[in-house]
Amino acid sequence: MEPYHLRVLRWLDPRRRVFGEELSRRLGLNASAVSKSMGWLRSQGYLIAGGYPGGYRRDPGSEFLYPGEVAPDLKTRVFGKRINYFSELDSTNALARELASAGAPEGEVVVADSQNRGRGRLDRVWISPPGVNIYFSLILRPQMPMERVAQISLLAALALARSCSRVWSISPGLKWPNDVFLGGKKAAGILSEAQGDGGGVRFVICGVGINVNLDPGDLPPEVRERATSVSAFLGHPVPRPQLFRAFLEDFEEIYYDFLIRGLSPFVPEWNRLSILEGKRIRVSGERELEGVVVGLDPSGALRLNDQEGKPRIILAGDVSLITADKEGKCC
Ligand code: BTN
């Protein structure tokens, strides 16, 4: 993006109209440059109401994740200090993997406004339309054995829950292993993929997909009933850069603490937010199993008591609730 378009963008405010003259004065631009900027920003998908002479106002929820929009207010030391932005990619995880293989440092991020081959867990498709959601992959280089990589996804989900409650005072639920739920429906998922190096981790790609301003009615019917977005839950549009920054800040804090102290200190908070705690579930995967969830164990595996009341540990698999929860919602 040309620097002066970005400077114009930063002066546009969702809460009030800004007059062209004010923009010209503050930014040292003539009227034609201001109007050219508005045209360019609109062509990029920004929703800007008004014009000359009544002033311009940016619609809330139409912000993009350009590095220039995200970086200025980002309070991190490492995460997101370099952001590679694309309007469309096949999958941010795929490009992040290439960059990490070529030596990209911890904290570097790949963001896309849309993905044409977004991937979820268990080889599922991650629906990734443009202009509404957040899709990104964060490169991490933790020194740890490969068996612990799944813990990073658990913590990324926890970080996102913390961000939502810090910024919007809401309490998302967590569904093992790494889904974030709002009002009984899935709003975000995490796909962490790692490459090893002689038993240890060489790098981890932590891929995060968040439904932010998506209208769940735009999803295919088979997904619609089970999915939501942050804005659908809150009832108003959500600025994507604000949520993205909050997540990078919260996850950075959690991650560096985790590298020193391990997963255990986070287990009680995770269990408190878990939508499965105390619920009867079915685990599908290599082994089919039913039981009542007891919580995370210190390694991040799911503890449950099976139908005979025998304690079981689930390391991987897909989990579904058998009984409707208190609100009658199910996943
Ligand atoms: C899941 O819940 O199944 C995980 C979904 C992960 C989706 C994100 S979007 C950004 C990154 N790129 C991908 O292709 N997938 C992850």
Side-chain angles (χ1 to χ4, degrees), residues 171-183:
S171 300
L174 301 178
K175 177 170 174 258
W176 189 87
N178 42 26
D179 292 345
V180 179
F181 269 57
L182 287 170

Side-chain angles (χ1 to χ4, degrees), residues 48-102:
I48 298 167
Y52 180 81
Y56 300 93
R57 189 173 52 75
R58 172 170 159 173
D59 274 12
S62 79
E63 299 83 358
F64 283 73
L65 296 169
Y66 294 122
E69 276 226 65
V70 173
D73 300 318
L74 180 64
K75 296 180 198 70
T76 56
R77 286 179 303 114
V78 180
F79 286 10
K81 286 296 159 190
R82 185 182 160 90
I83 295 175
N84 304 280
Y85 175 87
F86 299 84
S87 56
E88 183 173 355
L89 271 184
D90 51 355
S91 154
T92 57
N93 268 29
L95 180 61
R97 176 179 277 271
E98 277 177 36
L99 295 176
S101 298

Side-chain angles (χ1 to χ4, degrees), residues 1 39 50 54 69 81-82 98 112 118 156 217 224 228 286 322 326:
M1 186 189 285
E69 276 226 65
K81 286 296 159 190
R82 185 182 160 90
E98 277 177 36
R224 200 178 295 160
T228 189
E286 275 175 29
I322 295 176
K326 281 186 226 103

Side-chain angles (χ1 to χ4, degrees), residues 91-93 115 118-121 126 136 179 186 189-190 208-209:
S91 154
T92 57
N93 268 29
Q115 301 182 114
R119 289 184 286 116
R121 284 179 65 240
W126 188 257
F136 71 97
D179 292 345
K186 179 161 168 171
I190 288 140
V208 183

